[in-house]
Amino acid sequence: MFTGIIETLGTIQEIQKEEGNLHITVVSSITAELQIDQSVAHNGICLTVVALKDTSYTVTAIDETIKKTNLGNWKVGDSVNLERAMKLGDRLDGHIVQGHVDQTGTCIVAKETGGSWLYTFEYDQTLNNLTIEKGSITVNGVSLTVVDSKKNQFSVAIIPYTHEHTNFGTFEVGTEINLEFDVIGKYVSKLYANK
């Protein structure tokens, strides 16, 4: 479980393909604090640490994860949002995040608005995910509040701190992002769908 509050950015150092899997090596300031078998969210994708070396660590993504996320687009040098799993008893500053990406979306608006930033994302509504006005959404692992919720798109407003300390600053129109819809909203939507 995660909260969607990003701890730091990591930089992809190496990507190795092995059959249907990708082994991704990340350089990060939290590497010294990690352990093998530990879960770390990378742009909202929960991946397990499989190797540690100096300032870098390696995680492995299987084909299923690659298909459902934007992980297949990652390149050496890319920045990824990192969050370690929450500890029992920690404050839940964001919202309940599982680290299980529901689908990807695409940035269709990225603009500065008087000191903050507004981003609008479009997603495939046929996968039966939905956003709720003022509800929670996770974009590349970042816990955010939905504004302007529509059938297949929504917007979020980003404060300067989030813009500077996550990879939101790299988003432009056309950027593919990972989405995890609010677990409570998913449950409610399934209840209504079954009536």
Side-chain angles (χ1 to χ4, degrees), residues 162-188:
T162 303
H163 194 264
E164 293 165 19
H165 291 89
T166 69
N167 60 12
F168 262 86
T170 66
F171 293 3
E172 55 190 31
V173 172
T175 298
E176 184 180 33
I177 46 87
N178 294 319
L179 294 172
E180 181 181 330
F181 293 81
D182 184 13
V183 69
I184 296 168
K186 285 191 276 191
Y187 176 73
V188 170

Side-chain angles (χ1 to χ4, degrees), residues 7-8 15 22 27 41 58 63 82 88-89 98-99 105 109 118 121 124 137 142 144 159 161 179 182:
E7 287 185 70
T8 189
I15 300 173
L22 287 178
V27 175
T58 302
D63 189 52
L82 300 176
L88 204 55
Q98 296 178 300
V109 173
L118 180 74
F121 301 101
D124 180 359
I137 186 75
V142 182
L144 299 163
I159 63 172
Y161 182 89
L179 294 172
D182 184 13

Side-chain angles (χ1 to χ4, degrees), residues 12-120:
I12 297 174
Q13 182 180 54
E14 184 179 6
I15 300 173
Q16 290 185 326
K17 187 165 178 55
E18 180 186 33
E19 297 182 23
N21 299 336
L22 287 178
H23 303 292
I24 302 146
T25 300
V26 179
V27 175
S28 165
S29 62
I30 62 170
T31 300
E33 301 170 48
L34 298 178
Q35 299 173 11
I36 293 193
D37 287 339
Q38 195 168 21
S39 295
V40 178
H42 299 72
N43 281 355
I45 308 164
C46 179
L47 298 169
T48 302
V49 175
V50 297
L52 293 163
K53 184 180 178 186
D54 300 325
T55 60
S56 67
Y57 65 92
T58 302
V59 292
T60 300
I62 61 172
D63 189 52
E64 177 72 10
T65 303
I66 297 164
K67 286 178 183 172
K68 287 192 172 176
T69 68
N70 69 2
L71 200 147
N73 299 334
W74 293 2
K75 304 177 302 302
V76 170
D78 282 355
S79 291
V80 289
N81 296 325
L82 300 176
E83 179 189 1
R84 288 176 287 173
M86 64 184 279
K87 295 177 187 171
L88 204 55
D90 278 356
R91 283 193 183 92
L92 185 61
D93 290 327
H95 71 281
I96 296 171
V97 176
Q98 296 178 300
H100 304 154
V101 173
D102 294 305
Q103 67 183 94
T104 59
T106 304
C107 181
I108 59 172
V109 173
K111 65 179 180 181
E112 188 174 358
T113 56
S116 62
W117 287 264
L118 180 74
Y119 291 91
T120 301

